Amino acid sequence: MTAGGGVERFRSLHHGRAAGDPLVLPGPWDAASARIFADAGFEALATPSHGVSASLGYEDGHTPADEMFAAVARIVRAVDVPVTADIERGYGLGPEEIVERLLESGAVGCNLEDSAGGELVDPRRQADFLTAVHEAAGGRLFVNARIDTYLRGSAQPMADALVRGRLYVAAGAECVYPIGATGGDIGVLARELNVPVNALARVDGGPSPRELGAAGASRITFGGGLAQRAGAAVERLARELRGG
């Protein structure tokens, strides 16, 4: 079963947005947090691999595929808004199986990142991978291509992001996520790539979602930041209960 409205509803939320009014996608880490965000009125949600992994007792990047897809399915079942899933690089699954597992979970889209083991993947290899996922999905999933040049020590992160972004858009990605890009870089990428750009908003300072939207982002996500903030609140509660 697909979350409320399905992929076409989710796809439409990315377009026709005014500057400064991006699509803000909180990142639930379990069904309870998903319901809280949906009840607050958010139009859609985006699961973060970091937050979901922590909720399952794993370090980010070490969650078994079965457990991640099961967690996504529980989140989807808990809400009536579209849910897209961060599935890292697909857990070593082939494109057809990635699509099948996502559709079984009810997710309407996914993030696929272009680094592995802390290193950037060759962009043409990544483009081929995205092409295969896009073709297997046949329009049934909204693919957000994460670009890791700002994370992985590129000497020219924006120039490299443009090269990668052009390849990924040609491969069928409907949105690009240059994680870590801010300010003017976001605007350049949005103009040059002519697809929605996903920006990372940090909960510990930095540009607000509205400011990132004004810079050119059409979509805002938070990575594992919201789960980490909730975890910090639980830590404070634990200390209070212990009398510390």
Side-chain angles (χ1 to χ4, degrees), residues 110-173:
C110 66
N111 287 1
L112 288 167
E113 58 198 49
D114 67 352
S115 63
E119 300 290 335
L120 287 163
V121 174
D122 177 82
R124 296 188 185 280
R125 175 185 160 204
Q126 180 71 0
D128 289 343
F129 174 54
L130 292 172
T131 295
V133 172
H134 173 70
E135 291 177 351
R140 295 173 294 171
L141 293 169
F142 185 97
V143 176
N144 183 30
R146 202 178 91 174
I147 300 172
D148 287 358
T149 58
Y150 290 85
L151 291 184
R152 304 303 181 198
S154 169
Q156 298 179 305
M158 188 178 75
D160 289 344
L162 282 169
V163 170
R164 289 171 179 269
R166 290 186 179 107
L167 288 169
Y168 302 165
V169 171

Side-chain angles (χ1 to χ4, degrees), residues 57-74:
Y58 294 100
E59 294 294 323
D60 192 24
H62 295 279
T63 303
D66 287 350
E67 293 198 44
M68 181 61 75
F69 284 111
V72 171
R74 288 192 293 272

Side-chain angles (χ1 to χ4, degrees), residues 17-23 182-184 186-188 190-191 197 199 207-220:
R17 308 196 71 93
D21 180 34
L23 174 62
T182 57
I186 291 172
V188 171
R191 289 192 301 273
V197 171
S208 68
R210 185 172 295 277
E211 289 168 335
L212 291 167
S218 299
R219 163 172 161 165
I220 307 297

